[in-house]
Amino acid sequence: CGTGCMTELLAQRGYDMIGVDLSDEMLNIAISKREQSGHDILYLNQDMTEMELDKPVDACISVCDSMNYLLQEEEMSALFERVKKYLTPGGLFIFDLKTVYCYRNVIGNQTWVEQDEEVSYIWENFFYEDQDIDEYMLTIFRKQPDSNLYERMEEAHYQRAYSPERLKSLLAEAGLTLVDSFDEDMENPIRENSERIYLIAKN
């Protein structure tokens, strides 16, 4: 659930929401949003591949390329099995991923720099095509309050792309059926140059 943007949006529309995330920092931000909105959202600090819920749910949603962080097929299969376990019959699993095209042709082996008075960053990408894995390094400079000094932070991230065909196969192995897929505009089918894809599976 990241920082709770999606859980808050859907709770506002009347859905009973549970948010799962591995990051304490992300969940703390989500909980702060919950305190401001007053929505009754349960947040759980869990690895998505080991998700434990206390009841079945009608839908699972994972967006903002969270699942690209699963670098091994075994991890993706474990997630699909957890989703299968907790989805009600006929329940939907909606998720998105960045694509091989995105990593290879758009962000891979590229560097971006953005600078302003408060925060600046350097974003470097390295795409390993033999593994379909993108490594990106973030160097962030954040101005300290009441000072001309900047705090430097560094983060390393690794993401993997999966083909729609392989995802369909892994879903089927877990007992889920791929019912639809879309380009990132959510209107057209997946194309060769889709940078992000959305998939909908059914239990």
Side-chain angles (χ1 to χ4, degrees), residues 42-192:
L42 172 64
Y43 284 111
L44 302 173
N45 181 212
Q46 296 181 354
D47 184 323
M48 69 173 84
T49 65
E50 300 173 352
M51 181 172 61
E52 293 281 353
L53 304 179
D54 64 355
K55 61 182 178 181
V57 295
D58 296 320
C60 288
I61 301 171
S62 177
V63 293
C64 298
D65 52 76
S66 298
M67 291 165 54
N68 285 113
Y69 283 96
L70 302 179
L71 303 183
Q72 305 296 327
E73 284 194 356
E74 293 79 8
E75 294 176 298
M76 189 68 75
S77 293
L79 170 61
F80 290 164
E81 288 167 5
R82 303 314 282 180
V83 169
K84 166 69 177 175
K85 178 177 179 178
Y86 291 110
L87 270 185
T88 56
L92 297 177
F93 181 30
I94 302 166
F95 60 97
D96 74 348
L97 293 120
K98 287 180 184 168
T99 64
V100 171
Y101 177 87
C102 177
Y103 291 126
R104 182 198 300 127
N105 300 90
V106 180
I107 65 174
N109 305 314
Q110 301 286 333
T111 299
W112 285 270
V113 177
E114 186 163 318
Q115 180 176 333
D116 64 32
E117 292 184 4
E118 299 299 322
V119 178
S120 301
Y121 71 80
I122 303 168
W123 178 18
E124 301 175 273
N125 286 269
F126 310 93
F127 181 57
Y128 305 105
E129 189 152 1
D130 59 329
Q131 304 170 64
D132 289 334
I133 288 179
D134 184 70
E135 173 188 9
Y136 66 90
M137 306 293 294
L138 277 173
T139 305
I140 304 167
F141 300 89
R142 184 168 57 192
K143 188 175 182 181
Q144 298 304 290
D146 304 318
S147 170
N148 288 324
L149 298 177
Y150 286 78
E151 177 188 13
R152 174 177 174 158
M153 298 170 290
E154 293 183 335
E155 296 181 2
H157 294 255
Y158 297 87
Q159 294 185 339
R160 178 179 174 181
Y162 292 83
S163 71
E165 295 76 22
R166 189 61 189 139
L167 291 167
K168 181 178 181 179
S169 177
L170 293 173
L171 285 164
E173 289 173 14
L176 299 167
T177 303
L178 182 65
V179 295
D180 222 333
S181 57
F182 300 94
D183 180 72
E184 62 187 325
D185 62 10
M186 293 295 289
E187 294 180 359
N188 292 298
I190 294 172
R191 300 178 284 222
E192 288 185 8

Side-chain angles (χ1 to χ4, degrees), residues 13-65:
R13 297 188 179 189
Y15 291 99
D16 180 17
M17 300 302 297
I18 302 170
V20 175
D21 205 283
L22 186 60
S23 167
D24 286 325
E25 292 181 10
M26 294 281 194
L27 288 173
N28 286 337
I29 296 171
I31 290 168
S32 294
K33 292 178 182 176
R34 180 185 66 187
E35 290 171 353
Q36 293 175 10
S37 69
H39 291 137
D40 185 18
I41 302 171
L42 172 64
Y43 284 111
L44 302 173
N45 181 212
Q46 296 181 354
D47 184 323
M48 69 173 84
T49 65
E50 300 173 352
M51 181 172 61
E52 293 281 353
L53 304 179
D54 64 355
K55 61 182 178 181
V57 295
D58 296 320
C60 288
I61 301 171
S62 177
V63 293
C64 298
D65 52 76

